[in-house]
Every structure is written in C-alpha cells, then in structure tokens.
Amino acid sequence: MFVRKLVEKASKKHRIGGISGLRAEDVSPRLAFHYGVPADAALLAYDPALHVLAVATRNGQIKLFGRDNTQALLQSPSPVPSKFLRFAEGQGVLLNVNIWDIDTKKLCYVHPFEKEITAFSVLQNSFYIYVGDSFGNVSLLKLDLGQTCLVDMPYWIPFSESYGSGANVGNEVEVAFVSPQPLAENNRVLIIFRDGIMSLWDIKTSKVVSLSGKSMQQQSHQEAKAVTSACWACAKGSKIAIGFDSGDIYLWSIPDILNAQNLSSMGNQNLPLQRLNLGYKLDRVSIVSLRWVNSDGKAGRLYVNGFSDHAYLFQVLILNEESESRIVKMVLPLTEACQGMELVSGLSDPNKHKQSALVLLLKSGQICLYDDSEIERYLLHAQSRSPLALPNYSSVKLPYGDPSITAAKFYTSSADIHKTRNLYVTGHLDGTIRFWDASCPLLLQNLMIKQQNEENSPSGTPITSLQFDMSSSILICGDRSGTVRIITFRKDSSDNIFSFLHAKQGESYNVRCIKLKGAVTSISLISNSKRVAVGTEKGIVSVVSIEDASILYQKQLECRVSGGIASLQFEMYSHNGYDKDLLLVGMEDSTIYILEEETGKLLNTNPVQTNKPSRALLMQTLELSPDDPSVSDTHDTVSKESLLLLCTENAIRLFSLSHAIQGTKNIINKKKPNGSCCFASLIHSVSSEIGLLLVFSNGKIEIRSLPDLSILKEASLRGFSYTRNLNSSSSIACSSDGEIILVNGEETFFFSTLCQNDIYRHVDSINTIYRKDNSPREESSYVVKSPREKKKGIFGMIMKDTKASKGKQSDANGDEQFTATTSEELSSIFSCANFAPVSEKRNSSIKDDENIELDIDDINIDDNPQKQKGPHFPGLSKQKISKGFQSLREKLKPRTEEKVNSGNRKPEDDTSVSQVDQIKMKYGYATNDDPTSLPKMIGNKLQENIKKLEGINIRAGDMANGAQSFSAMAKELLRNTKNEKATS
C-alpha cells in the first residue's frame, strides 16, 4: 500500500540498521526531464510550419517548446554557445551551423569550418544556406536531408569581389549580416560588413549590383562603432534597417528588383535615408536585434532591442513604406534586459482566431508573449500592453518558480493510489505552502495553504524549513520570524490518503502555532511520534509537543560561526544491551552535540568538531551489515558499532558514534570531494542498499558508496548553479529512492540516480515535439524537387539555361531584365564554381566521389568491350556530366561576354586577370596576352568534342535528341566566335 511504503522509506532515514551499501550496477544517474526555460538562454527561433519555438543557450543546450505543453531539451557534447539558430521550416531540422534532428532530439551532424562564422541565413523555399565569415567571404551550404549533412557548394562570394575597390588582402572586414532580398530571394543577396559597407550581389552574374555605406565606413574610422544587427524594413526589399553598437540606427535605400531600370541612379549611395534617434545613442546602448513586421503594405512596425552592461531599452516604431518614417514609438515595460526576440504566427486564441505574437526572452530566462495586433493598436495611442498568455502554447513561466521556493521535500513511491504517485511539498518566499502532484513532470498543484498572522491576514513571511509526516498527515513548518506551525489534517472515512489535498482550514485541517527566538533553520520528527525538534539561527534547540504545541524543553548551544543549527535527528542508541533515545544536533559550523531526548541533558561535554568551521549539509547515523562486501577486513570495528556520517561543503567524514557520545573524535573514514558541495542525502535502492548522494554548486552530481565513500558514478547538470540565500531562486529536494527535483530560476530538473523505471508518467509524450511520420510536409513551402527528379533530362536543363544565357548576351546595353530564377536554375548556378577557390583547400563534407572535378577530356567514350542495355558512362552519372558541361560552358563564355560588355563594364566588376589566365591555361586556352591562337584552340577543341558527342549519339539512342541539341549548340558557339573574331 502507498502509505505503508512511504512510512517505511521515511523510517529508513531515521533508524538505519543492518543495511548494505550500493554497488555501481545499482546506479544510473541521468536527467529524466527538464522543464522551463534554461537560465543561460540567449537566442530564439520559430518554425511556423511545425509551431515549434527553440531557445538556445550559451552552454550548448537548446530547449524546444511545441504544442500542448510538449517540450524537450537538446544537449551538444560540448558546452559551446550557439551563435545562430534557424529552422529548416517544416522539415524537423534545426540549424545552428550544425544539424539537429528534433524527432530523435540528437545532434546528427557537425560541419567543419576553418574560419569563424559571423553571419548565417537560410534561403527559404530551398535547401541552401548563406554563411559569412571573419574574412569577409560568403559561402554556400546545401542541406542534404537524405544524408543529414551540410554540403559545401562550389559557388561562393569572395570579399575581394563584393566589398568594392577598398578590398585589400590582409585587411578583410568580417560579414555582419547576409540575407536574400525580398521578392528576389533566388536572384540577389545583401551582404553587410561590420564597418557598415552594404553590397547587393547578383547571384546569376556573380557581381555587385549596388554598393552603399561609404559614409558609414568613414564614420567608423572617426568614431569607433560596428554593425551589430540588421533587418529588412520593407516588403519589397527596398529598405534596410541597421543597428550599431554605438546606439545608432540608420535606414538605407536598397535597389529593389521591381525598379531595375533605375539601378544606375541608385547603385552607389553614400548617405542613408534616415537616422532614428530613439535614446540609445546617449547611453551607447548597443542595438542587439531588430525585427520588422509588415502591417498593411503602407506601414510596418520595427521592433528595436538594445541593451548593454548599464542600460536596456525595448521600443516599437511605426515605419512608412514610401515616405520618411514618422517616429511613433512605444516602450514595452520590461523589468530586465531582453536577450532575444522572435515573431511567431499561427497561434489560436479561445475564439479560434489566428494570432501572431512577439516572443521576448528576458535575461533571467523568463519568456514574455505579447499580442502583436494589440501592439499595433496601442501604438496609435502610445500606450503599453501587459504580457499576454497565449492559449494552446507552452506555459514557459513556472507557477512554482514565482514566488521563489525557500524549502522543499519530495516523496515518491512505486505504488499508485488515486492517480498520485509522487508528492512534492514546497514552502515559498510569500509564506505559502503548496502540495504538488509530481506523478508527471508537469507538476499539478493540488493544495495551497496561506499562512495567517494574529490579525488573520496573510503573513507573507518566507518559509525557511518544513517536514511532512505522511502516516499521521502532520505538516510542521517554520518561517523567518521564528513562528512554528503544526498543521494536522483530518482523515476521512475513505482509504484516500490524499483526501487532505482538497482540505479547507477549519473543515479538514487545523493549525497550532508557537513562537521561537530566531528564524527556524531545521525541523525533525519521527513517524507516529508525539514530539518534534526545532532548531533556530540563534543556536536554540526546542523540543515541542505536537498535541498541544507546548515547549517541553529548550537548549542553547554554542556555534563558532553565525547560522545556528543545521541538522537535527532523533536516534535510538543500543550499547551493551542498553537502549537510549538520543537527539543529535549538527551546528552550522559542523559541531556535533548529543542530547538525551527526554530531558535535553548534554551527553558529550566535549562536542565533536572539525578543525576548521565548515557548513554542515547532512548528519545521519548508520549501521552497516557485517556481511556487507563493502566492509573490508580493515573495517572490522565499523561492522560492530554505529557510525555517524557528517557531510560538509568540503569533506565527508565517518565518526564512531560511541566515541562521539563520550566526547572523543574518532574518524573512521574521510574524503574530500573535488568542488564545493551544496546538498547531501542518503538514497535507498529497492533492495534496501544505501548510498550517499552529493550535489555540487556547479551542477555536478556524485553517488558514493558506504562506508568506503568511493565514487560509484557521477554526472553533471549543465546550466544548473546553486546559490544559498533567502532571496535565491534555487532549491533542491531528494526522495529516499534517489529522485531529485532541482529548481533554478525559471527551470526545473527532474534527475534520477538509481536503476529504476517509470518514476514519472507521460515523459515520452511530453518530450515528443515532432514526429517525422506525422510531418505536415505538404503544407511546407520548403520542399522542392531536386533537378534529378525532373523528367526533362540533363541536356534539357542545359539547353534551358543556355537560352537564358543567350538572352542575357543579346542585352548589349547593359540594363538588367528581371526574370525569376527557378530552383533548378539555382541548383545549376550554385553547383558550379563562379570564382577560383581559395588557395587553402576548404574542409568539405562532400563525398569523395562527388568531389572530383570533371574535365571535358575525362569523358570516356571509347568502345566498351561488354555490351550493355542503354547508354553507359563508366564512373560518371548524369549529374556529373551536367556539371561538367555547365562548367565548360562557363569557362568558354567569359571571352565572348567580355567583347560584348567591355564598353559598359566598371573597374570593380573586372575579374582578377591572373585567376582567369590560370583557368584558361589549365584547360589549354590562350591567355589574354596571346589572342592570336584563340580561334584555332577553340576550333580544335570543339571539333574534337563534337565528334565524341556524335559517337555517343549513335551508341545511346535514348539520348539522341539531347546530344544533337548539344552539338548544335557547340557549332553555333564556334560560328559566333569566328564571326566575332573576323569583325574585330
């Protein structure tokens, strides 16, 4: 029965006799569940397709919040902070430069980088990712969901090409921001460097479209400031907002794709549209993040978050699309700095209306949600809006974390009665006591008792210590003022031991109070006992009668430091056939006094003391079995008498109890842990073996054996830190079977130490944020078909791209004509090297067989001795041939385009001569310095390849149309080249 099991476990903690020690195979320390927001939270990301919010920390953790209160904690092998956080929308994949699978909740891929990553942007509706580095370069990665990896693409944007005329080797400026331009995501990307230079890059032509921000560069030399954040401030991509560490915010005009004809007049701007003066500049509050929300197509809202070591400010502005922004602002009433923000959509209110919300991550780890539509309405009247708790979304603020927990006890059992298995009792800073059903890690509050003072009003005095006896349904609690309350619950006629959880004062329980001198620091009682011992910070021990709340006796004890009494324990001592009831008192400085329970007489006039005062955490008597294998021959005396265990912040000691009663300090064993211990408790296995649990202030947890005190196993709670004071938000409670609940601010850790299962219900379902089997992929715009899934074939793709190239060639006046780039064209562009790679070979996750450069001479078209059905290319696939032909076409094209565009080309658009010559020499073409042999070289090369392709056409009937098209294309290119040479 549940009551009997709890009583047995409680009695073990007071009268331990003939118990053997734990073994390593009995121990399995692990985090069972994590609830709430991690304390070191710093970044936010949201997946609108899956409705999942991700919170990244500075120590390698990522917390996920999903629908219906689901939440899960991801942990990387090393505590490395996340600098970036993005979802691959609707795919169940989270990116922080590496890849997380949110179904398995594991880090499934780590990408090698040679340079520091400073900017990161996911190109939506595709699988491509822009990565900016500390050398000013922008690289392309492709997310391969099949292999679950990131693949380095040949396409890249070198600093020397994108920065403009000021680019010098050895004087690189790191990329601060990279993002595709709205309405032209597949055609343009904006690069903002740390010094304020903005480069709008054309993906197809691999050249700069617009270069702005020279004035920012000059200001950065005169005044030390750097770009810290940026965001688009217009739906069509014509405005960008940039924030600096100096507190400056500038709005810049960017040439949008719809007004390409006016590009020449807007191409190089040196002055911003507007400078926003919001009060950040005065205190040099760094603009850490910017977010923009489109409102009605004519105006939008700009969310500005700034904070530094000495100030913080969060504001919302109205920005007009077409004209200069009017400064209509609202300051959100935040009580602390905002670490991050994210805009989420698709949430439903009780009326089933879709809502969007602003999610703010505060410095303490608390998350606040604001209704975005309410912010828009209140902006018109410059009024603030209080936080909004959105329905159908995870409650990210702990109900038991505010007010802070100041005392806690935890009771568990393997038996179920009335659906309650685990009971968690907490005392709070406001004087309330709360009972929680901890059968599921989403704690359910069953009862709250508000302490009353003499005027019958809430006392509001913090609870400092409490004990609950399940068998007698008696709760003893003490507070900072020295008031001790004895709360007795009345049992009903049913067999429901938890009927008191629905109690009301005067009907189901009564309260008796007693006033002591000093804050209550320790309470001890035994099941079915009529006495309770209470210790205070003044060093006074009081033994109180439970029936009438009268003081039986008091004893003043000396302590070498302030803090009073840390631990109390009733103990029956047997020696030479003589039994005696004792009261053991452990002081704050680790001094141990032994009193006679009945009279309070001091038995050891010379108390047992440590050499140096150290805070006592646990005092407990033990008696191990003589046949315990952990008791060696050298510990014969240990097995024959009781021991006294004393755990302090810096040491563990085992004393002889009989010697302690006589006033002699006889240390049987002593260990010094590595670190500062903040909590200690004895734990019991199902078969009654005992061990010692230690929790350290840095989150380390050790399980040690008894009596040799050796470490059986250890673990670590990343992100947990313990501080001991009444205003602290940290608390620890441990059940007798090694289940621990650790509260740290806005998060709670449920930690298990022994090899037992099914301690908590519904853990798997609560941890399930997303399942691949139930993924809404048909709703996601992120899914695109790869080129190999199309039925047009590789030659069809080449011809399609060739026609587009010829169209661009015919545009001799240099004006750009916008055409949307499809995913197939984007794949073709990114799969080819637009510039020579850096001299040092980049780390790549591409497979070896995909990393081979295809030369036109490498195509093996010799007769195959073995006849096979259909076309056959040894060592080559259609994709490789496609890449090869595309690469060949790109290598032959520059010379022709150079003649056409030489009159309109700008100096900064010229490619490095040495790089072009190196590529031409590698493939046997003439350099720029030797133009006479160019027609002959091209003619010989193309004639040879035409013959090879005609041979392929004969042997591969299925590819006849494609081969003829390619041959025609090659002949036409040869004819055009000869004609151009003749006319020149």
Side-chain angles (χ1 to χ4, degrees):
M1 186 175 176
F2 181 72
V3 180
R4 188 180 301 112
K5 290 181 179 290
L6 284 177
V7 172
E8 290 173 355
K9 288 188 176 184
S11 63
K12 290 176 184 177
K13 302 186 71 172
H14 296 282
R15 303 186 184 276
I16 301 174
I19 300 178
S20 59
L22 281 176
R23 298 163 298 178
E25 53 266 30
D26 300 324
V27 180
S28 177
R30 64 203 180 276
L31 181 64
F33 187 76
H34 176 277
Y35 181 82
V37 183
D40 289 335
L43 293 175
L44 292 172
Y46 181 69
D47 189 332
L50 301 181
H51 300 285
V52 177
L53 178 69
V55 182
T57 70
R58 298 182 184 88
N59 56 28
Q61 293 178 321
I62 300 176
K63 188 62 187 285
L64 302 177
F65 295 96
R67 293 175 171 174
D68 303 321
N69 275 332
T70 57
Q71 50 185 286
L73 183 68
L74 313 179
Q75 293 198 95
S76 63
S78 58
V80 178
S82 295
K83 295 178 61 177
F84 311 100
L85 196 66
R86 297 289 186 275
F87 276 100
E89 292 184 5
Q91 303 302 307
V93 170
L94 182 63
L95 305 168
N96 65 341
V97 181
N98 302 318
I99 300 179
W100 291 87
D101 189 326
I102 63 176
D103 180 16
T104 61
K105 293 176 280 293
K106 292 181 179 179
L107 178 64
C108 52
Y109 180 77
V110 177
H111 193 74
F113 288 101
E114 295 179 355
K115 302 171 184 176
E116 180 186 359
I117 304 304
T118 58
F120 188 85
S121 178
V122 177
L123 178 58
Q124 298 301 333
N125 302 321
S126 74
F127 294 105
Y128 296 106
I129 303 165
Y130 292 104
V131 176
D133 61 38
S134 56
F135 285 82
N137 302 318
V138 176
S139 305
L140 262 294
L141 299 177
K142 183 178 181 180
L143 174 62
D144 188 337
L145 290 177
Q147 300 295 325
T148 317
C149 66
L150 294 175
V151 179
D152 282 313
M153 303 304 293
Y155 190 97
W156 68 302
I157 307 175
F159 171 76
S160 60
E161 298 294 331
S162 61
Y163 190 77
S165 58
N168 296 317
V169 178
N171 193 27
E172 294 87 355
V173 182
E174 69 180 29
V175 177
F177 175 82
V178 57
S179 176
Q181 185 179 26
L183 300 185
E185 289 84 354
N186 291 358
N187 291 74
R188 293 177 177 180
V189 60
L190 179 65
I191 305 169
I192 302 179
F193 297 92
R194 192 66 69 187
D195 60 359
I197 294 293
M198 291 166 286
S199 176
L200 185 60
W201 183 265
D202 186 279
I203 297 174
K204 285 185 177 180
T205 61
S206 289
K207 66 179 182 180
V208 175
V209 174
S210 168
L211 196 64
S212 308
K214 291 291 185 180
S215 60
M216 294 293 98
Q217 184 187 39
Q218 296 169 1
Q219 289 184 22
S220 64
H221 293 312
Q222 300 171 0
E223 176 189 1
K225 64 179 179 180
V227 174
T228 52
S229 59
C231 73
W232 291 103
C234 178
K236 61 181 182 179
S238 62
K239 285 184 181 180
I240 188 78
I242 304 178
F244 290 81
D245 59 357
S246 60
D248 290 312
I249 303 175
Y250 292 92
L251 285 179
W252 283 84
S253 175
I254 302 296
D256 63 83
I257 201 70
L258 300 178
N259 296 314
Q261 64 273 12
N262 298 325
L263 186 60
S264 58
S265 60
M266 303 175 61
N268 295 278
Q269 300 179 74
N270 288 324
L271 293 176
L273 289 176
Q274 189 176 2
R275 175 179 175 179
L276 304 180
N277 186 10
L278 306 177
Y280 297 91
K281 176 72 174 175
L282 182 62
D283 297 325
R284 291 189 66 86
V285 178
S286 178
I287 310 301
V288 295
S289 55
L290 295 168
R291 293 289 188 276
W292 180 80
V293 179
N294 186 23
S295 180
D296 55 5
K298 297 181 179 179
R301 295 180 301 284
L302 179 66
Y303 293 94
V304 183
N305 177 32
F307 76 86
S308 61
D309 295 336
H310 56 277
Y312 61 89
L313 190 62
F314 194 99
Q315 299 187 39
V316 188
L317 309 177
I318 289 181
L319 295 180
N320 293 329
E321 289 271 348
E322 303 298 337
S323 61
E324 188 174 276
S325 299
R326 55 191 178 95
I327 306 300
V328 180
K329 65 181 180 180
M330 177 182 73
V331 180
L332 295 186
L334 302 181
T335 58
E336 56 183 325
C338 176
Q339 297 281 87
M341 61 175 166
E342 192 66 42
L343 293 163
V344 303
S345 59
L347 304 177
S348 300
D349 63 12
N351 297 322
K352 303 299 182 180
H353 296 147
K354 293 296 182 180
Q355 286 183 310
S356 61
L358 173 68
V359 183
L360 300 184
L361 175 62
L362 302 186
K363 190 174 182 180
S364 64
Q366 179 183 347
I367 287 183
C368 291
L369 304 179
Y370 289 84
D371 187 341
D372 185 56
S373 60
E374 288 294 318
I375 291 178
E376 182 180 14
R377 287 193 292 269
Y378 274 82
L379 263 175
L380 301 177
H381 304 89
Q383 296 180 0
S384 62
R385 171 70 173 167
S386 59
L388 170 70
L390 295 177
N392 296 335
Y393 206 76
S394 176
S395 175
V396 293
K397 183 172 178 58
L398 293 182
Y400 47 92
D402 186 20
S404 298
I405 296 175
T406 52
K409 296 293 179 181
F410 189 29
Y411 307 92
T412 63
S413 175
S414 58
D416 289 340
I417 182 169
H418 296 277
K419 299 182 180 180
T420 301
R421 176 182 297 179
N422 307 325
L423 186 64
Y424 184 47
V425 186
T426 58
H428 295 263
L429 193 64
D430 63 350
T432 60
I433 298 174
R434 308 182 187 191
F435 290 80
W436 306 86
D437 182 356
S439 305
C440 170
L442 299 180
L443 302 184
L444 176 64
Q445 180 179 305
N446 288 335
L447 174 64
M448 182 176 69
I449 298 176
K450 295 182 179 180
Q451 303 297 329
Q452 307 291 324
N453 55 23
E454 295 178 356
E455 288 77 21
N456 201 30
S457 60
S459 65
T461 306
I463 302 297
T464 53
S465 183
L466 61 84
Q467 287 284 344
F468 181 65
D469 179 41
M470 184 72 69
S471 61
S472 58
S473 298
I474 295 177
L475 174 68
I476 313 292
C477 65
D479 60 27
R480 188 186 294 178
S481 68
T483 301
V484 178
R485 292 176 174 84
I486 302 174
I487 303 175
T488 304
F489 296 93
R490 299 173 185 173
K491 298 181 180 180
D492 57 16
S493 57
S494 67
D495 193 31
N496 183 4
I497 188 62
F498 293 112
S499 60
F500 71 88
L501 295 178
H502 307 285
K504 295 182 179 179
Q505 184 173 1
E507 299 178 4
S508 302
Y509 69 89
N510 57 63
V511 181
R512 296 183 299 275
C513 300
I514 187 170
K515 185 73 173 180
L516 301 178
K517 185 178 181 180
V520 176
T521 56
S522 181
I523 298 175
S524 178
L525 76 160
I526 305 177
S527 297
N528 299 318
S529 174
K530 297 180 179 181
R531 296 181 177 184
V532 58
V534 181
T536 67
E537 62 179 359
K538 302 295 184 181
I540 300 175
V541 177
S542 303
V543 176
V544 180
S545 171
I546 293 178
E547 292 181 349
D548 56 4
S550 61
I551 298 176
L552 300 180
Y553 65 84
Q554 289 183 320
K555 190 74 174 181
Q556 176 80 53
L557 300 173
E558 294 183 0
C559 184
R560 291 175 288 178
V561 297
S562 61
I565 297 170
S567 180
L568 293 167
Q569 182 189 345
F570 290 106
E571 177 65 29
M572 178 181 290
Y573 176 68
S574 299
H575 184 69
N576 295 330
Y578 176 73
D579 297 336
K580 194 172 189 66
D581 292 326
L582 306 177
L583 177 60
L584 280 67
V585 183
M587 307 299 291
E588 187 75 16
D589 64 350
S590 299
T591 301
I592 299 176
Y593 293 96
I594 301 177
L595 307 179
E596 190 178 72
E597 180 186 330
E598 289 292 330
T599 62
K601 177 183 177 181
L602 182 63
L603 299 181
N604 60 339
T605 54
N606 293 323
V608 175
Q609 291 181 331
T610 57
N611 295 332
K612 294 181 180 180
S614 179
R615 178 172 171 260
L617 303 173
L618 174 67
M619 182 187 63
Q620 181 73 53
T621 57
L622 306 172
E623 185 175 336
L624 300 182
S625 280
D627 57 351
D628 185 1
S630 64
V631 180
S632 62
D633 296 337
T634 58
H635 291 109
D636 289 339
T637 56
V638 174
S639 61
K640 297 177 182 179
E641 63 177 342
S642 297
L643 303 178
L644 179 60
L645 173 66
L646 176 65
C647 294
T648 65
E649 287 181 322
N650 54 19
I652 314 166
R653 298 174 178 87
L654 278 174
F655 298 98
S656 167
L657 180 59
S658 60
H659 286 79
I661 295 174
Q662 299 170 12
T664 304
K665 181 172 69 174
N666 182 13
I667 298 179
I668 304 300
N669 198 0
K670 178 182 177 180
K671 297 287 184 181
K672 283 192 173 184
N674 184 18
S676 177
C677 191
C678 63
F679 180 84
S681 176
L682 290 182
I683 57 177
H684 305 74
S685 69
V686 177
S687 53
S688 299
E689 292 89 0
I690 64 170
L692 177 62
L693 169 72
L694 301 177
V695 180
F696 294 81
S697 57
N698 61 357
K700 184 177 69 171
I701 296 177
E702 290 182 354
I703 298 96
R704 291 178 176 261
S705 62
L706 292 169
D708 59 353
L709 303 179
S710 62
I711 298 178
L712 296 175
K713 288 182 182 178
E714 60 183 0
S716 179
L717 281 177
R718 191 184 301 178
F720 178 82
S721 61
Y722 183 85
T723 54
R724 181 178 178 262
N725 57 68
L726 284 177
N727 296 323
S728 171
S729 57
S730 301
S731 69
I732 305 175
C734 181
S735 67
S736 60
D737 56 356
E739 296 299 320
I740 319 172
I741 295 182
L742 308 96
V743 177
N744 184 34
E746 300 296 327
E747 59 182 332
T748 299
F749 301 86
F750 294 82
F751 194 86
S752 301
T753 59
L754 302 180
C755 296
Q756 51 185 347
N757 299 320
D758 302 327
I759 299 299
Y760 304 101
R761 302 191 189 105
H762 312 307
V763 174
D764 290 340
S765 59
I766 298 173
N767 261 322
T768 303
I769 303 294
Y770 158 82
R771 290 190 184 276
K772 292 181 179 178
D773 297 338
N774 301 326
S775 61
R777 297 200 173 200
E778 65 278 4
E779 300 175 2
S780 173
S781 61
Y782 196 84
V783 179
V784 295
K785 292 184 178 181
S786 62
R788 69 184 62 184
E789 293 174 348
K790 299 296 181 179
K791 296 182 179 180
K792 295 181 179 180
I794 56 174
F795 289 102
M797 183 179 64
I798 293 175
M799 289 304 297
K800 179 179 180 181
D801 196 58
T802 303
K803 293 178 181 178
S805 300
K806 290 172 63 178
K808 288 188 293 182
Q809 253 184 343
S810 62
D811 191 7
N813 58 10
D815 293 337
E816 291 190 357
Q817 182 71 27
F818 169 66
T819 55
T821 303
T822 64
S823 59
E824 291 87 352
E825 291 175 320
L826 201 64
S827 175
S828 176
I829 293 172
F830 289 159
S831 298
C832 298
N834 54 337
F835 294 99
V838 291
S839 56
E840 183 179 356
K841 185 178 179 181
R842 293 184 298 167
N843 283 336
S844 175
S845 63
I846 306 178
K847 297 180 180 179
D848 292 337
D849 62 335
E850 294 179 351
N851 211 19
I852 302 173
E853 183 179 356
L854 180 64
D855 190 279
I856 191 65
D857 298 322
D858 293 335
I859 303 178
N860 182 10
I861 58 175
D862 294 336
D863 292 336
N864 195 333
Q866 291 184 353
K867 294 184 179 180
Q868 298 187 18
K869 294 182 180 180
H872 176 66
F873 299 92
L876 294 174
S877 63
K878 291 184 179 181
Q879 290 75 18
K880 290 184 180 179
I881 298 175
S882 174
K883 292 179 182 179
F885 289 154
Q886 177 69 19
S887 177
L888 175 62
R889 184 178 57 79
E890 293 291 336
K891 291 167 185 174
L892 295 177
K893 185 174 63 174
R895 188 70 185 181
T896 303
E897 290 185 342
E898 182 182 1
K899 294 290 182 180
V900 177
N901 300 322
S902 59
N904 297 326
R905 180 175 296 176
K906 297 180 181 179
E908 60 267 24
D909 294 335
D910 290 337
T911 309
S912 174
V913 176
S914 60
Q915 292 179 351
V916 175
D917 289 344
Q918 288 177 5
I919 297 175
K920 290 181 177 180
M921 292 173 64
K922 179 178 179 181
Y923 290 94
Y925 301 116
T927 63
N928 292 338
D929 297 330
D930 184 20
T932 58
S933 60
L934 179 62
K936 182 177 180 181
M937 294 290 297
I938 295 179
N940 293 337
K941 207 68 175 177
L942 288 177
Q943 288 291 349
E944 180 182 354
N945 290 331
I946 289 171
K947 293 180 180 179
K948 293 182 179 180
L949 289 173
E950 288 176 350
I952 294 176
N953 188 33
I954 295 175
R955 291 192 298 268
D958 294 338
M959 300 176 66
N961 295 332
Q964 291 173 1
S965 299
F966 186 86
S967 177
M969 179 199 71
K971 292 178 180 178
E972 183 180 358
L973 180 59
L974 177 60
R975 183 170 53 256
N976 292 339
T977 303
K978 291 182 178 180
N979 292 336
E980 287 179 2
K981 182 62 179 178
T983 56
S984 63

